[in-house]
Amino acid sequence: MDESEVVESLAALAHPLRLRIFRALVVAGPEGLTPGVMAESLGAANTTLSFHLKELTRSGLVTQERASRNLVYRAAYERMNGLLGFLTQNCCAGAACEVADMSCKSC
């Protein structure tokens, strides 16, 4: 993943509702979620949800597939893992990290 892709992904997540949508899709796993289910569980209007799903899809963090009459959205785990890998690539200046409570002790 190059720097411009990382910036695009982080920009897509830099909105509270988009972050909640993405996290809901990660939790849902490979089955994904339909917009109706997301709108109900997140308390978001369909038009608002549609706008934010478009941004997440454009960034590559979310995929969209038609299943019969429904659209199903899924987290793009490969892209997510690429983003996380980029962010942690040089953690602790290359030294082994001992992670506790989600923080790097040797950093």
Side-chain angles (χ1 to χ4, degrees), residues 12-13 18 21 52-62:
L13 294 172
R18 284 196 294 266
I21 291 167
H52 291 299
L53 283 167
K54 184 181 92 175
E55 289 299 307
L56 287 165
T57 303
R58 187 185 59 74
S59 75
L61 287 168
V62 169

Side-chain angles (χ1 to χ4, degrees), residues 2-101:
D2 68 31
E3 195 172 89
S4 65
E5 292 172 313
V6 170
V7 169
E8 184 176 20
S9 293
L10 291 174
L13 294 172
H15 185 279
L17 182 55
R18 284 196 294 266
L19 183 59
R20 288 176 37 219
I21 291 167
F22 183 72
R23 292 185 74 198
L25 291 171
V26 168
V27 169
E31 295 80 27
L33 296 170
T34 63
V37 169
M38 283 187 275
E40 186 177 317
S41 67
L42 297 171
N46 287 338
T47 54
T48 302
L49 186 67
S50 177
F51 169 78
H52 291 299
L53 283 167
K54 184 181 92 175
E55 289 299 307
L56 287 165
T57 303
R58 187 185 59 74
S59 75
L61 287 168
V62 169
T63 64
Q64 171 192 332
E65 179 184 354
R66 182 161 293 283
S68 179
R69 294 177 51 205
N70 295 313
L71 290 175
V72 177
Y73 290 87
R74 294 178 181 88
Y77 293 101
E78 186 175 324
R79 177 78 168 210
M80 178 187 75
N81 289 332
L83 176 60
L84 293 172
F86 181 90
L87 293 173
T88 59
Q89 184 175 12
N90 297 315
C91 178
C92 303
C97 294
E98 188 176 321
V99 179
D101 297 327

